[in-house]
């Protein structure tokens, strides 16, 4: 991950990896960019969750809602479907069924993206 993004890596007991940090605020938009290098073939699904922690100087702009309540949705690839249909191929029923039960809230608004790595 580029140095302009302040993120920490967490490797969970199941060997999955999570990153926690802050997006870069550039040209009036929050941005994040990274590269993945999968080590194994298979189906991969990513989600980009965001949460309100504190308003700071980057959130002091005209038209900002004066309340502290927020709803955050991540718009990935300008709102494309991001291969949600690949979830039907997933072997893990928990994740497949959970995401497909409420695809807008649990996949699209979470910046979901699925892809295959083929040997």
């Amino acid at each position: 991950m580029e140095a302009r993004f302040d993120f920490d890596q967490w490797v969970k007991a199941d060997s999955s990896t999570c990153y926690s940090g802050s997006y870069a605020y550039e040209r009036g938009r929050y941005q994040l960019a990274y590269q993945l290098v999968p080590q194994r073939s298979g189906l991969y699904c990513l989600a980009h969750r965001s949460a309100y922690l504190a308003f700071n100087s980057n959130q002091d702009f005209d038209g900002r809602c004066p309340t502290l309540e927020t709803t955050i949705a991540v718009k990935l690839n300008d709102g494309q479907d991001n291969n949600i249909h690949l979830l039907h191929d997933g072997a893990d029923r928990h994740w497949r069924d959970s995401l497909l039960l409420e695809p807008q809230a649990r996949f699209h608004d979470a910046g979901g993206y699925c892809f295959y790595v083929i040997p």
Side-chain angles (χ1 to χ4, degrees):
M1 186 162 304
E2 296 176 29
R4 67 186 173 123
F5 304 110
D6 182 20
F7 274 75
D8 295 317
Q9 180 181 9
W10 304 89
V11 179
K12 297 171 32 177
D14 66 359
S15 297
S16 62
T17 303
C18 298
Y19 291 90
S20 178
S22 300
Y23 297 100
Y25 187 73
E26 300 168 349
R27 297 181 297 280
R29 296 179 70 178
Y30 290 94
Q31 299 182 17
L32 176 64
Y34 56 88
Q35 296 177 345
L36 299 174
V37 181
Q39 301 297 308
R40 293 177 286 194
S41 61
L43 175 62
Y44 289 79
C45 292
L46 307 173
H48 301 85
R49 304 276 183 209
S50 293
Y52 160 78
L53 295 178
F55 284 122
N56 60 35
S57 61
N58 292 333
Q59 289 132 347
D60 186 19
F61 52 87
D62 291 338
R64 178 180 70 84
C65 180
T67 66
L68 295 180
E69 293 184 31
T70 61
T71 299
I72 300 170
V74 176
K75 186 176 180 182
L76 185 69
N77 294 329
D78 291 321
Q80 299 297 314
D81 76 355
N82 294 321
N83 303 318
I84 190 172
H85 64 280
L86 296 179
L87 284 172
H88 292 287
D89 299 341
D92 188 328
R93 288 187 57 211
H94 168 74
W95 289 109
R96 179 187 66 223
D97 295 348
S98 174
L99 293 172
L100 291 174
L101 183 64
E102 295 183 48
Q104 187 63 46
R106 296 179 180 171
F107 185 83
H108 297 295
D109 290 349
Y113 187 82
C114 295
F115 63 96
Y116 272 108
V117 172
I118 301 172

